[in-house]
């Protein structure tokens, strides 16, 4: 029975092999082949002339070599295509296409395209496109392209030498010249940004009206250093940075009302400018603040601020406005910064409450 199965399998393989040879022989005049089977160059139905053939279907156990592919190319390790490829290319490790690629390229490690790509490239590690990428790129680590017209998604970084007109989404870094939108876990770098820049820490751009990060270094935007005071007698020295509309806030300070202990302050948040007149604007801010003596227990406060601001000259701005605050702390700490609350949770393990407050200060525009 086993011998019968072996003989049957052998016969099927020989038939397929001979069928491939016949198709190759039929197509040698115009260097095209309907099918191309093999193990690794030159052990294939196209033999040593494989690099001169355009194939409609290719299947290789290890690696395949061809001039072009117009249909489906599958290889256990690598597809190596000297000119163009269209359709579907799948490889366990690498798809290497010297010129243009149209369609879908799937690789366990990398898709490397020597000119333009129009379609979808998905790789476990990296997609590298020398010039323009018109479709989407998804990579476990990095997408690298001359320019991008659609979506780039990577676990670590998306980098385009020129424009990125779609969305760049990465776990760590996005970089491009003129971009539409960037979302990164750590930093975004761009020339001109049409949409939003959202980063875990830093945005850098020539122009960006809607950067969302703690630190935003925008050439056409605004940076300032502020000194603020709130209803708990906490004084903060903060750095505000952003674009024409959105900005980030990062600050440190000290609480002067803590009679029994030294309490140091840290705050971070986001804000938005609403221009009302030449020297008058409204700043809307959402800020999280923590007071701590770095031993045990913290006083946590989340605030929404509505702050009118008036500009004095070109460099100074004074501001003051109401705030709505949510506070939380250990009940045994007995912080008495605020006496009146509009809401309190008396049943929770930690004290929780909501109260009104204020925020006022002055800032130097850099």
């Amino acid at each position: 029975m086993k011998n019968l199965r072996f003989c049957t399998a052998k016969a099927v393989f020989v038939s397929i092999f001979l069928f491939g040879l016949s198709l190759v022989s039929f197509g040698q005049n115009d260097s095209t082949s309907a099918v191309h089977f093999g193990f690794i160059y030159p052990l294939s139905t196209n033999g040593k002339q494989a690099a001169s053939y355009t194939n409609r279907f290719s299947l290789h156990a290890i690696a395949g070599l061809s001039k072009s592919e117009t249909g489906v190319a599958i290889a256990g390790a690598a597809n190596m295509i000297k000119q163009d490829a269209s359709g579907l290319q799948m490889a366990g490790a690498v798809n290497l296409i010297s010129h243009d690629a149209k369609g879908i390229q799937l690789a366990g490690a990398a898709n490397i395209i020597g000119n333009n790509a129009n379609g979808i490239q998905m790789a476990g590690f990296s997609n590298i496109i020398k010039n323009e990428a018109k479709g989407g790129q998804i990579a476990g680590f990095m997408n690298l392209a001359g320019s991008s017209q659609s979506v780039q998604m990577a676990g670590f970084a998306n980098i385009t030498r020129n424009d990125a007109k779609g969305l760049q989404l990465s776990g760590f870094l996005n970089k491009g010249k003129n971009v539409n939108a960037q979302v990164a876990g750590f930093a975004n770098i761009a020339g001109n940004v049409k949409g939003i820049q959202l980063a875990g820490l830093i945005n850098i751009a020539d122009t960006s009206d809607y950067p969302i990060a703690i630190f935003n270094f925008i050439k056409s935007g605004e940076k300032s250093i502020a000194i603020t005071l709130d209803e708990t007698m906490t004084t903060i020295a903060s750095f505000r940075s952003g674009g024409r509309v959105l900005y980030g806030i990062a600050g440190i300070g000290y609480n002067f009302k803590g009679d029994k202990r030294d309490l140091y302050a840290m705050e971070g948040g986001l804000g938005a400018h609403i221009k009302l007149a030449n020297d008058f604007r409204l700043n809307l801010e959402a800020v999280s603040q923590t007071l701590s003596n770095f031993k045990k227990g913290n006083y946590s406060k989340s605030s929404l601020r509505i702050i009118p601001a008036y500009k004095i000259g070109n460099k100074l701005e004074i501001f003051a406005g109401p705030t709505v605050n949510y506070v939380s702390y250990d009940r045994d700490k007995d912080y008495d910064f605020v006496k009146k609350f509009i809401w309190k949770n008396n049943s929770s393990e930690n004290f929780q409450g909501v109260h009104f407050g204020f925020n006022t200060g002055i800032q130097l525009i850099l």
Side-chain angles (χ1 to χ4, degrees):
M1 186 69 179
K2 291 183 178 179
N3 291 334
L4 179 60
R5 290 178 179 176
F6 175 78
C7 291
T8 303
K10 184 177 180 182
V12 170
F13 177 80
V14 171
S15 299
I16 293 173
F17 186 79
L18 293 175
F19 177 69
L21 284 176
S22 64
L23 290 173
V24 170
S25 299
F26 179 78
Q28 278 183 346
N29 291 332
D30 57 2
S31 297
T32 61
S33 176
V35 294
H36 182 202
F37 295 112
F39 293 95
I40 187 171
Y41 176 83
L43 302 178
S44 73
T45 54
N46 287 345
K48 293 182 179 180
Q49 304 301 317
S52 64
Y53 277 87
T54 296
N55 306 302
R56 289 189 285 275
F57 178 82
S58 294
L59 178 63
H60 288 78
I62 301 175
L65 175 65
S66 64
K67 175 184 176 182
S68 299
E69 297 289 341
T70 60
V72 176
I74 303 172
N79 288 307
M80 296 174 288
I81 303 167
K82 295 184 67 177
Q83 292 188 12
D84 301 330
S86 61
L88 171 66
Q89 291 77 48
M90 297 176 60
V94 178
N95 286 309
L96 178 59
I97 302 169
S98 297
H99 288 181
D100 294 335
K102 295 181 180 180
I104 301 173
Q105 290 77 46
L106 307 176
N111 291 304
I112 303 172
I113 299 170
N115 194 24
N116 301 318
N118 189 347
I120 298 174
Q121 292 77 47
M122 299 177 64
F125 184 76
S126 181
N127 292 304
I128 301 172
I129 301 165
K130 183 178 180 181
N131 293 318
E132 186 177 46
K134 292 184 178 180
Q137 292 82 51
I138 302 172
F141 183 73
M142 177 183 290
N143 289 308
L144 178 63
S147 62
S148 174
Q149 301 292 327
S150 188
V151 178
Q152 290 182 310
M153 299 175 62
F156 181 74
N158 295 303
I159 299 175
T160 60
R161 296 190 309 275
N162 296 308
D163 299 344
K165 295 183 179 179
L167 169 66
Q168 288 185 311
L169 175 63
S170 74
F172 185 79
L173 173 69
N174 292 310
K175 186 178 184 298
K177 285 189 177 179
N178 299 314
V179 306
N180 186 38
Q182 295 178 315
V183 179
F186 179 74
N188 294 305
I189 302 172
N192 301 315
V193 183
K194 290 184 179 180
I196 67 166
Q197 276 186 309
L198 174 60
L201 187 64
I202 301 172
N203 286 313
I204 300 172
D206 292 335
T207 61
S208 179
D209 290 341
Y210 306 100
I212 303 174
I214 298 299
F215 299 103
N216 303 281
F217 299 97
I218 314 299
K219 287 185 178 179
S220 64
E222 180 179 293
K223 294 178 286 292
S224 65
I225 296 174
I227 302 295
T228 63
L229 179 70
D230 66 14
E231 73 285 345
T232 66
M233 295 297 106
T234 299
T235 299
I236 298 284
S238 61
F239 177 68
R240 286 163 161 77
S241 58
R244 183 179 59 86
V245 179
L246 300 182
Y247 60 94
I249 305 166
I252 56 174
Y254 185 81
N255 179 268
F256 290 94
K257 199 174 181 179
D259 299 332
K260 301 177 183 179
R261 74 213 88 175
D262 290 325
L263 292 175
Y264 301 93
M266 293 178 291
E267 77 171 20
L270 301 172
H273 299 302
I274 300 176
K275 189 174 180 180
L276 302 177
N278 288 335
D279 297 322
F280 185 69
R281 64 184 178 183
L282 194 65
N283 295 327
L284 305 179
E285 296 180 349
V287 178
S288 179
Q289 184 185 102
T290 299
L291 301 179
S292 176
N293 59 3
F294 301 108
K295 291 181 181 179
K296 186 178 180 180
N298 297 323
Y299 179 92
S300 300
K301 181 173 75 168
S302 299
S303 303
L304 294 176
R305 302 170 178 171
I306 304 174
I307 306 176
Y310 181 74
K311 196 172 182 180
I312 303 173
N314 294 324
K315 294 293 184 180
L316 287 179
E317 186 176 69
I318 56 174
F319 53 87
T323 64
V324 179
N325 310 281
Y326 167 80
V327 298
S328 175
Y329 57 84
D330 293 338
R331 289 188 182 274
D332 58 0
K333 295 302 177 182
D334 193 28
Y335 295 107
D336 60 351
F337 301 138
V338 177
K339 302 296 183 181
K340 295 183 178 180
F341 289 85
I342 58 176
W343 174 84
K344 289 190 294 185
N345 187 345
N346 294 318
S347 61
S348 62
E349 181 179 353
N350 295 331
F351 176 84
Q352 298 173 336
V354 176
H355 67 84
F356 292 117
F358 69 88
N359 188 270
T360 184
I362 185 170
Q363 69 176 351
L364 174 65
I365 299 173
L366 303 177

